[in-house]
Amino acid sequence: MAHYSRLHAIVLDVPADDHAATVAFWEGALGQAVPRVEKYPEFHGTLLEHQRMLFLAQRLGEGGPRVHLDIHTDDLVAEVARLEALGATRVEGAGPWQVMRDPSGQVFCVVADKPGTLNDENARRWE
């Protein structure tokens, strides 16, 4: 089935003890506020000014710091299947997103976007 997807977010996974300092650092580095996301309080994030990219800092319950990417899609099942065909593997489902690993083991997420958000202007159409 045809669907859309796009690389949409850069996510810093940050240990809880370092989260506040990391958010403060990136606010200064980016020159803009990175407020807490009300719906997901473990995240602070912002749409980067003059870009179509989201920046997030995720407070971890466990694990070390890392960076991961989020791919947004209008069809989670189809996009996960497409990426698996390319060599990705599923790690765990987490509500409206799927945590995956690329062939080298790098973690990334596939996130279901709001219907109608993705189109020919801002995403890639897959047949």
Side-chain angles (χ1 to χ4, degrees):
M1 182 168 134
H3 71 283
Y4 288 100
S5 69
R6 68 175 171 184
L7 182 60
H8 184 66
I10 300 166
V11 185
L12 301 179
D13 298 319
V14 184
D17 291 346
D18 300 324
H19 190 257
T22 298
V23 169
F25 170 82
W26 283 103
E27 285 181 327
L30 297 171
Q32 66 185 85
V34 182
R36 193 178 97 189
V37 177
E38 293 301 320
K39 186 173 180 181
Y40 300 103
E42 70 274 18
F43 286 95
H44 280 70
T46 188
L47 187 61
L48 295 174
E49 294 174 0
H50 312 293
Q51 300 177 47
R52 291 185 180 179
M53 185 71 62
L54 188 64
F55 174 85
L56 296 167
Q58 177 180 5
R59 185 180 58 250
L60 297 176
E62 59 185 50
R66 66 179 180 212
V67 175
H68 80 262
L69 303 175
D70 283 358
I71 295 174
H72 280 213
T73 184
D74 61 356
D75 187 333
L76 187 64
V77 172
E79 183 66 3
V80 167
R82 185 183 78 79
L83 295 167
E84 285 178 318
L86 294 171
T89 55
R90 295 179 199 213
V91 176
E92 66 178 297
W97 62 84
Q98 174 69 51
V99 180
M100 302 187 79
R101 289 189 187 278
D102 74 6
S104 74
Q106 298 294 320
V107 172
F108 67 98
C109 294
V110 182
V111 180
D113 218 327
K114 296 175 189 168
T117 302
L118 302 178
N119 55 55
D120 289 333
E121 304 265 326
N122 63 17
R124 171 87 184 235
R125 182 179 169 91
W126 303 98
E127 298 297 329

